[in-house]
């Protein structure tokens, strides 16, 4: 058995790491330390996203949106990843499910996500994003 982490382990690490990047990139006080090229490297060719509102976005639209949203949040912005689990896997491709919880402007939101990853030797965690689908979840009463 090789010492290489499993495809699920690499994809899980990528989900967590990318969302850490988002917090650094979007929070004004931390935006200076975020490396945007890291984000661009993990968005695979042909990447597409279904946003929680149902809009389908291509790679260029997603990259442009993230680029132009730098430093747009205050220090209270936070993201946590919950309930990460594997879905279908075949060869060098895996589907990963997770819940993304955000705190933005004092408001909590949650979205169920499913993401498709393929292996990539040039990506930080050895995988790149190919597809992302997000669906709003009801925010729990607090």
């Amino acid at each position: 058995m090789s010492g290489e982490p499993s495809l699920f382990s690499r994809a899980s690490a990528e989900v967590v790491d990318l969302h850490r990047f988002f917090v650094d990139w979007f929070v004004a006080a931390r935006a200076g330390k975020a490396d945007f090229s890291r984000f661009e490297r993990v968005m695979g060719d042909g990447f597409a996203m279904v946003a929680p509102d149902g809009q389908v976005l291509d790679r260029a639209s997603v990259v442009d949106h993230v680029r132009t949203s730098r430093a747009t949040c205050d220090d209270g912005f936070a993201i946590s990843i919950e309930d990460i689990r594997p879905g279908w896997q075949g060869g060098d491709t895996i589907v990963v499910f997770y819940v993304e919880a955000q705190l933005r402007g004092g408001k909590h939101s949650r979205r169920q996500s499913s993401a498709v990853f393929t292996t990539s030797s040039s990506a930080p965690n050895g995988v790149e994003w190919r597809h992302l689908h997000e669906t709003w979840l009801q925010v729990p009463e607090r």
Side-chain angles (χ1 to χ4, degrees):
M1 184 170 198
S2 90
E4 184 175 315
S6 71
L7 184 53
F8 174 64
S9 294
R10 289 180 281 152
S12 296
E14 176 55 34
V15 169
V16 171
D17 289 353
L18 186 69
H19 288 85
R20 282 186 190 135
F21 160 79
F22 287 147
V23 172
D24 288 344
W25 185 254
F26 294 142
V27 172
R30 299 164 69 171
K33 75 176 193 174
D35 176 12
F36 190 77
S37 69
R38 189 253 185 250
F39 174 70
E40 289 180 303
R41 283 194 323 271
V42 297
M43 293 292 108
D45 290 337
F47 172 82
M49 173 184 178
V50 180
D53 66 1
Q55 184 178 11
V56 178
L57 304 168
D58 64 12
R59 182 186 186 281
S61 297
V62 172
V63 169
D64 185 59
H65 172 74
V66 172
R67 181 184 287 114
T68 60
S69 297
R70 181 175 184 261
T72 56
C73 295
D74 63 26
D75 288 346
F77 178 67
I79 298 175
S80 64
I81 302 300
E82 305 167 354
D83 194 25
I84 193 164
R85 61 197 185 284
W88 176 87
Q89 180 176 342
D92 69 350
T93 304
I94 189 169
V95 176
V96 175
F97 297 98
Y98 61 93
V99 173
E100 177 184 339
Q102 285 192 14
L103 175 61
R104 182 186 298 227
K107 296 184 182 192
H108 294 268
S109 67
R110 293 167 47 87
R111 56 192 89 186
Q112 176 66 60
S113 300
S114 62
V116 177
F117 295 92
T118 56
T119 59
S120 169
S121 61
S122 64
N125 287 305
V127 295
E128 59 187 11
W129 298 74
R130 293 301 187 153
H131 182 83
L132 175 63
H133 190 132
E134 297 182 332
T135 302
W136 289 120
L137 297 174
Q138 184 174 358
V139 177
E141 295 291 324
R142 298 210 179 232

